Amino acid sequence: DPEGPDAERAWFTGLFGRAANVRVKNRTYEALSIHGDSADVVVTLHISYRNKNAADPTTLQRKYRAQLVRADGGWKITALLPETR
């Protein structure tokens, strides 16, 4: 469970409360920076969902800076923070 701001968790809780069929349809990566056993990358999640009172799907994008550490032969996300740049 990566670290992240309470406001972002609340936003997703609200989304799951009012929406159905929530899916990450795609993700794009940019600005990857690796420093030994740690790294950070900007990731954009392309999210699709349907509001419970609507017939048509909606899409949106959420951009984050993921902080990672190398562990157990792979990479583990330690923090997922909204990217404001």
Side-chain angles (χ1 to χ4, degrees):
D1 189 22
E3 174 186 324
D6 290 340
E8 196 64 16
R9 289 178 193 268
W11 184 88
F12 271 102
T13 298
L15 175 66
F16 281 100
R18 72 175 184 277
N21 300 340
V22 178
R23 303 277 186 270
V24 174
K25 293 292 189 179
N26 192 18
R27 49 201 163 276
T28 53
Y29 306 95
E30 58 186 290
L32 173 63
S33 176
I34 299 174
H35 311 282
D37 287 338
S38 65
D40 66 60
V41 64
V42 174
V43 59
T44 301
L45 303 179
H46 303 266
I47 302 168
S48 173
Y49 65 96
R50 183 181 55 76
N51 282 315
K52 291 180 179 175
N53 62 352
D56 294 330
T58 300
T59 59
L60 59 83
Q61 295 179 8
R62 300 290 280 191
K63 190 178 252 190
Y64 298 95
R65 178 165 299 276
Q67 297 171 343
L68 305 99
V69 295
R70 194 183 317 257
D72 301 322
W75 291 95
K76 177 183 175 189
I77 298 173
T78 57
L80 193 60
L81 307 169
E83 176 62 18
T84 56
R85 288 182 262 176

